[in-house]
Amino acid sequence: MSPLTTAASLDTISRMLDELDEPRIVITEQFEILHANPAYQALYGQVVGQRCHAASHGYQRPCNEEGESCPLQMTLSSGQPERVLHIHRTAHGEEHVDVELMPLADISGHRHLFIEKMQHLPQASSQPVPDKMVGRSPAFRSMLLLAQRAAPSHAAVLLIGESGTGKEGLARAIHQNGGPAQRPFIAVDCASLTETLLESELFGYEKGAFTGAQQRKQGLVEAADGGTLFLDEIGDLPLSQQVKLLRLLESGSFRRVGGISSIPANFRLIAATHRNLQAMVAEGSFRADLFYRLAVFPIRLPPLRERREDIPLLATALLERVAPGRQLQLDADARQWLVEQAFPGNIRELRNLLERASLLTDGDTITPEQLRDQPWPDSPPVPAAGHADPLPFSSTLQPLAELEAAYLQWAVTHSGLSRKALAQQLQITERTLYRHLAMLEKKTPAM
């Protein structure tokens, strides 16, 4: 193809890109920007003639030489479009950007030109913004890119992560990025509802369906019509309700409690759990067919210990939430102390810690002393010498159920924690803890 033909084709492609609202550039395999549409120029200025990594990052070398993934190098290697999530410098500050690179050969015959498409993620920030998901770490960005890929589809998403990692926040981000903001987002905590209440809450009921049903009630499945149904702690859903949820997903319809007519269901499902559902399937406490229905697109949320570099950023954002208007900040020692903590309760624990510290701080600077000032010790109290209570283990093998029950009883007696705190440490819900304790009480003979 002659240079004249190439120029004519580039001019045609450039005019097409100028009509788009999202930022687009045309680059060469030497990273040179040949054209930038108005949307791109509004964010990065006049960049034609610059290298793409200089315009978006300020780098003097390609992204892969600066420790970032480079979509151009990936495309040159694979010959296919490639997609990454970067943090770009824009006119509005540093922002998370979904970058997709497409070889122009697909549409023009050019083998050495590429279109780079940018899409900003409005629900996430690389800055300490109090009303968004905050982070810069590779683990955080990998999670965001998966969420960004899932958002436009109608596929079921399963969010997997420890308690306090922000599963509902990510679910809302997927919902908001997947269509018009006015669509309903209905959240259901499966762990907080009894079996009978869960069914009536999900599916609603007809007048007279049971004592006290004075009028028809719309269920949450019906309320989610056209939007997203978020089922939190799906691992705590009783088996009797799992089969009803499976029927809903397979048939796309449901019946209210006490009703006979099928009602079509139209919602996008996002479920979340801190449990290992595959292990629950193996032990028979979670249906395999429901698991495969839910886990079409699983996304793992990293615990805070895997994204320690985000802790100072998160702490600054959380301080704006828990103490608005106070201009609180952490001193250097306090930031370092936070980074070194285990945070088994993840972001929720970090928020609670900062809120307590803000109440203990009279000035505008939080020190490690305010962070360490807790009403309980960092670990369970150790019995005095000669009076130690042994763990409930013996040198002989015991049935697993007996061992689990004995350990739970020991933990309740010797941990020194509240039931809520103990449930968090054991990584179970309060409801599950109370159920196990009730079973233990039934098995314990009266004295």
Side-chain angles (χ1 to χ4, degrees):
M1 185 176 291
S2 69
L4 183 62
T5 303
T6 301
S9 300
L10 177 60
D11 182 64
T12 301
I13 293 166
S14 298
R15 282 188 277 107
M16 292 172 56
L17 297 182
D18 288 348
E19 299 297 321
L20 302 177
D21 294 330
E22 293 179 333
R24 301 285 199 284
I25 55 175
V26 179
I27 62 175
T28 69
E29 60 182 318
Q30 287 78 37
F31 308 98
E32 182 183 0
I33 300 176
L34 298 183
H35 178 78
N37 71 353
Y40 191 97
Q41 293 181 48
L43 290 171
Y44 302 98
Q46 296 294 332
V47 295
V48 173
Q50 294 186 33
R51 298 290 188 264
C52 56
H53 45 80
S56 58
H57 296 281
Y59 294 157
Q60 297 303 310
R61 302 181 299 172
C63 296
N64 60 303
E65 296 181 25
E66 296 286 351
E68 293 271 10
S69 51
C70 175
L72 178 56
Q73 297 285 10
M74 294 163 62
T75 293
L76 289 172
S77 176
S78 68
Q80 302 293 324
E82 296 288 350
R83 190 172 175 182
V84 300
L85 194 140
H86 278 179
I87 297 176
H88 280 187
R89 300 190 313 175
T90 74
H92 309 300
E94 292 187 330
E95 296 184 352
H96 289 290
V97 180
D98 180 0
V99 183
E100 185 173 359
L101 197 78
M102 182 184 72
L104 254 176
D106 292 349
I107 57 177
S108 72
H110 298 312
R111 294 188 177 182
H112 304 294
L113 297 180
F114 308 84
I115 291 179
E116 192 170 77
K117 166 188 171 183
M118 267 70 68
Q119 183 177 357
H120 291 77
L121 278 62
Q123 288 81 35
S125 176
S126 64
Q127 303 301 315
V129 180
D131 58 349
K132 296 182 179 182
M133 294 186 299
V134 172
R136 301 174 63 93
S137 65
F140 179 77
R141 284 189 282 158
S142 295
M143 176 197 74
L144 276 186
L145 182 57
L146 288 175
Q148 181 75 356
R149 287 178 177 272
S153 77
H154 205 69
V157 175
L158 179 62
L159 306 181
I160 307 162
E162 296 176 8
S163 177
T165 49
K167 295 186 284 294
E168 182 169 349
L170 185 60
R172 289 184 181 276
I174 293 171
H175 165 76
Q176 292 167 5
N177 211 31
Q182 64 270 21
R183 297 170 304 128
F185 178 89
I186 305 298
V188 184
D189 184 0
C190 298
S192 66
L193 299 174
T194 63
E195 290 190 36
T196 53
L197 185 58
L198 183 64
E199 184 175 1
S200 61
E201 285 294 307
L202 279 179
F203 303 121
Y205 53 79
E206 298 288 353
K207 179 180 178 180
F210 48 82
T211 302
Q214 302 297 324
Q215 58 185 5
R216 173 185 290 175
K217 179 178 184 284
Q218 183 188 59
L220 298 177
V221 169
E222 198 170 352
D225 185 64
T228 298
L229 181 67
F230 173 57
L231 298 180
D232 198 9
E233 297 303 348
I234 192 71
D236 287 343
L237 194 67
L239 279 167
S240 61
Q241 300 305 311
Q242 291 178 26
V243 67
K244 294 175 182 178
L245 177 60
L246 178 64
R247 188 180 302 119
L248 166 70
L249 299 178
E250 289 185 336
S251 67
S253 63
F254 65 96
R255 287 197 298 266
R256 299 189 186 99
V257 176
I260 58 174
S261 300
S262 291
I263 302 171
N266 175 31
F267 61 85
R268 197 267 180 81
L269 180 66
I270 302 178
T273 183
H274 71 280
R275 296 181 176 277
N276 185 336
L277 293 187
Q278 288 179 303
M280 293 178 67
V281 168
E283 68 183 20
S285 58
F286 201 87
R287 293 182 63 100
D289 43 10
L290 178 58
F291 170 73
Y292 291 116
R293 277 281 182 178
L294 296 173
V296 176
F297 197 91
I299 301 176
R300 178 180 177 269
L301 284 77
L304 208 48
R305 62 183 174 275
E306 292 181 11
R307 41 181 299 214
R308 292 185 184 277
E309 58 265 55
D310 289 338
I311 290 178
L313 192 67
L314 279 165
T316 302
L318 290 170
L319 280 174
E320 292 188 40
R321 297 184 196 179
V322 302
R326 286 191 61 187
Q327 303 298 316
L328 281 174
Q329 59 183 352
L330 297 157
D331 70 14
D333 290 338
R335 286 195 298 271
Q336 184 60 36
W337 186 87
L338 286 175
V339 170
E340 293 170 354
Q341 303 311 299
F343 287 116
N346 295 293
I347 300 173
R348 185 182 295 118
E349 182 183 354
L350 175 61
R351 178 192 172 113
N352 292 346
L353 183 65
L354 291 169
E355 185 164 14
R356 177 177 171 80
S358 71
L359 297 175
L360 295 172
T361 302
D362 295 321
D364 57 6
T365 302
I366 295 176
T367 66
E369 285 67 33
Q370 283 92 37
L371 295 170
R372 294 193 189 105
D373 188 3
Q374 297 295 321
W376 50 78
D378 292 336
S379 57
V382 179
H387 299 281
D389 290 299
L391 287 169
F393 307 113
S394 67
S395 58
T396 58
L397 292 177
Q398 299 172 252
L400 186 59
E402 291 181 10
L403 191 61
E404 182 183 62
Y407 177 76
L408 184 59
Q409 187 64 63
W410 177 88
V412 170
T413 305
H414 299 94
S415 68
L417 301 174
S418 67
R419 296 290 171 88
K420 181 178 181 179
L422 178 59
Q424 289 179 342
Q425 290 295 316
L426 296 175
Q427 295 190 5
I428 60 177
T429 65
E430 284 185 79
R431 177 185 172 190
T432 301
L433 177 60
Y434 279 110
R435 186 167 65 245
H436 281 301
L437 294 178
M439 293 172 61
L440 282 177
E441 290 174 2
K442 290 180 181 179
K443 294 178 181 178
T444 304
M447 299 299 291

